[in-house]
Amino acid sequence: MRNKIAQARYERKETRDAYLFLLPLLALVIVFVLFPVLATSLNSLFRDVTYLARKFVGLSNYASLAADFDFQRAARFTCLFTAAAVFFEAVLGLVFALLLNESFRGRGLLRTVVLIPWAIPTIVSAKIWKLIFDYTYGVLNFIVLALGLSSEKINWLGSSISAFWSLVAAEVWKTTPFMVLILLAGLQAIPREVYQQAQIDGARMGRRLWRITLPLVWPVLTIALIFRTIDSLRIFDLVYVLTGGGPGGSTKTLSMLGFEYYSNDSFGRGSAVSVITFLLVFAVTIAYIKLGRFERSLKK
Amino acid sequence: MACSVELKNVDKSFFTLRGRVDVMRGISLHIEPRELFVLLGPSGCGKSTLLNMIAGLEKPTAGSITIGDAVVADPGRGVFIDPFRRNVAMVFQSYALYPHMTVRANIAFPLTNLKPRPPAGDIGRKVREAARLLRIEELLDRKPAELSGGQRQRVAIGRAVVREPKVFLMDEPLSNLDAQLRTEMRAQLKELQRRLGITTVYVTHDQMEAMTLGDRIAVLNEGVIQQLGTPAGVYAHPSNVFVARFVGSPPMNLFEGAVKRDENTRVVLRTADGDILLPERLGADLVAQGKERCILGIRPEHIEPVAAGQGNFDSRISVVENVGSEYLASLFLKSGHIVVRAQHEPQPGPAGLRFASDRLHVFDAGARSSVE
Amino acid sequence: MARPGIPEETCKRILIAAGAALLLVFALSPFFWMLWVSLTSRPDFLFTKTVEYTLANYTNVLTSPTLHFTDYFRNSLIVASVTAVAVTLIASVAGYAVSRMRFPGRVAIPLFVLAMSMFPPISIVGYLYQWFSSLGLVNTHAALIFPYSALTVSLALWINMSYFAQIPVDLDRAALVDGASRMAVLFKIVFPLALPGIFSAFLLVFIACFNEFLFALMLTIDPFAQTLPVGIALFEGLHGEVPWGNLMAASAMATLPLVALTLIFQKYIVQGLMGGAVKG
Ligand SMILES: Nc1ncnc2c1ncn2[C@@H]1O[C@H](COP(=O)(O)OP(=O)(O)OP(=O)(O)O)[C@@H](O)[C@H]1O
Ligand SMILES: [Mg+2]
């Protein structure tokens, strides 16, 4: 008996030390992420509004959301916005990464410059873009008039379609640098000899891009897409400042909807929206991992 | 303060994601104070694991390890002394010099960890002494990246000797050096170990290194000690086929066959390549023991090429190589590659091989262990 | 084989030049637009074609008692620095355990922490608001520091793990045999060698906290605790008209420290982003 205890202590010494080293990290994550998430999930099953008694209502928060036009619109907008933004980021990011992977004079400077949008706080960039799209003072309207593309100023943030694309533009500007950096790392990991061999084998530029570069950079692209999609699905700050969800609530995201419910002291419904948001995020992540077929590389 | 090292029935298993891997079974060793003990074995046999267990970098799964009179690991009693409390020194194959410290700081590092910490003057003096011993005084202010392989090696040894540890542990310390430097360092290491008189456990996969360095050697394979003894003893009397093949270069020649009588009623070993005539005494013994199959072993230097029909075995020499002071003749048989070491140049073509009858080794065909 | 027409080399040069120009315009024009407006007296200068350059926007933002710019700035600085220091320490010690020690969960724990970082802030902030309200924590720096630490620690952990993995394990083992305790190994061997990585993690966490908006919006109430992004987002003029000049000046001042950090420590930031993302 005594022996068993001694043996267990012998085995556990390193384990105990390791857990001691991990304790602050785990405590932080569990108390301030896992616990609130669980509480939110639980809360989504309650009628929780400040002016009424808290009451268990099962899934009825979800049921009423499903039937709610505002919610449907926010869900659709969030998904479409994410798809558009991530697509253009990937294309533009790939173009710039390919460019910065070439050697030419001034490349170092460009690599620095490309980081600037990343370094600017999202709220600031939202304000900048708001001014760019501004009806009265905006530089975009100035350009449109100067080039004669339109005879009068356009209210960019005034229609739901142009507001959508304005948001996409601002998001793409802010987050393309991240894409560029990740893809550049992927490109630089491709050995030079592969290109030289392909050149000797007579593959011209376009073919080298299609047959060599893209397939080899694909795993890295998948990872970058996951990160960007997760981030984009939970977008709040950019939209909150740039359009405020307007016009007429047409650019409200799921996070904004949740925030609105919270602000109106409707915590049960807000929680339900939050739960749906993270379920969406997890579903999309799993889909990427399955499609990207890189379970193996993740496990390593 | 030389210490003995004792391992009793040590087992080691790793628990990985793929399950339990047993890498060591029932290791028992007693290493005498001041001894230079060599652990010899092929890659992956568990040499490093064994050394790491003595250092405290791995925990045995069962059994006990004692350094001097202190039990340092005994899972049965829940004893485990951390590596930093064992006062052993280790030299790694990769040298493991701290890249951000100068040579001086590298060598001083073990001293700065002592509690209580010795005064700076003492540390400086000991570092200079170690540096003088290893002739690296002019390198003290360099960083490891600015040193050659041999110099790094010396710094690693300097770091090990500076603290006057109870035991030196060396894990293939010479294998990253080129052949010439290796021979030179080998001799220096041996001399240093003699002079300091510190018990040393030395790990290598190079049988030549083991033979020349060790007071005693243990041959390890698949986590089990195959044989323990002096280098000469192990070479002369390998206890099984593995040791016979692993120790010695070129390795011992082996012939497997059935013990039979030929038409002249002489005892022979009937192999796939023909009959090998056994010496009378040996043949009689094998028959008396009722052995039906066995493995006959003989080292290349104990075979003499003679005219066909004159030796124990007739065959064909295919290739003859001149390796400087002697010749190596190769025979490619159905049962494998046979090498003969000769002082005079043999001619390729049909030949007889005469075996020195007192140098034959006989192994059991099933157990593959030595008979007699 | 060789097709007639433009040689590949020329073609490539043209593409590079075009791409470089596009990249410059793309990355810099909004930034310069902000600076330009912040330096002019009236934001409609493009249309009126009369520009008057002035620093009035800057002096006004810095001195106006109602804008609280310096308060916001101070709050951001405190919250971001405290979080970055705490997270760097916590993630380094944890990263050491995960990359160097053997224990049940050494694979699962980093993945768990990574998974936790995927939860959208909105699914955390609602409950935190209720909880912190009951604790009286709302509108304090602590209300931001704790959740910020929890949200960024995963990034820091993964960056550190990718750096620690590059340090040969033999160095740790040698140090242990040389008589250094685990803590000594961590502080004398692993930290100095992984310093670039730890610094990357520090910078990224700092920048993330400096920029965070949703938590700050929800968990702080007034300029006593609100951070710069909230200040700028809620920046309104007295008469309903947006004071674009002042706003852009405030934005520029909020941005310049970050842009400076990014440009000076570009190497670390780039490596950190890659370590955190590609390995993750
Ligand atoms: N941490 C580990 N987890 C699982 N198996 C391990 C671990 N470390 C070592 N092993 C296994 O234990 C066996 C012995 O390894 P060890 O490193 O001791 O070999 P070695 O004799 O030193 O080989 P080499 O000459 O190549 O250094 C190997 O089969 C190895 O795969
Ligand atoms: Mg080894």
Side-chain angles (χ1 to χ4, degrees), chain A residues 75-139:
Chain A
R76 196 175 55 236
F77 174 78
T78 307
C79 294
L80 288 177
F81 171 79
T82 300
V86 171
F87 174 78
F88 284 107
E89 277 159 41
V91 172
L92 211 53
L94 195 59
V95 169
F96 289 153
L98 285 170
L99 172 73
L100 294 179
N101 195 36
E102 294 296 328
S103 52
F104 56 92
R105 229 182 33 213
R107 175 176 70 163
L109 178 74
L110 281 189
R111 281 195 187 173
T112 308
V113 163
V114 80
L115 276 174
I116 285 181
W118 178 84
I120 294 180
T122 311
I123 292 302
V124 168
S125 84
K127 287 287 187 192
I128 297 175
W129 283 92
K130 190 166 181 166
L131 179 54
I132 289 175
F133 293 124
D134 192 80
Y135 182 79
T136 322
Y137 309 119
V139 65

Side-chain angles (χ1 to χ4, degrees), chain B residues 222-242:
Chain B
E222 298 187 341
V224 176
I225 293 182
Q226 307 289 326
Q227 190 169 3
L228 188 66
T230 61
V234 171
Y235 187 81
H237 304 288
S239 63
N240 60 36
V241 172
F242 174 81

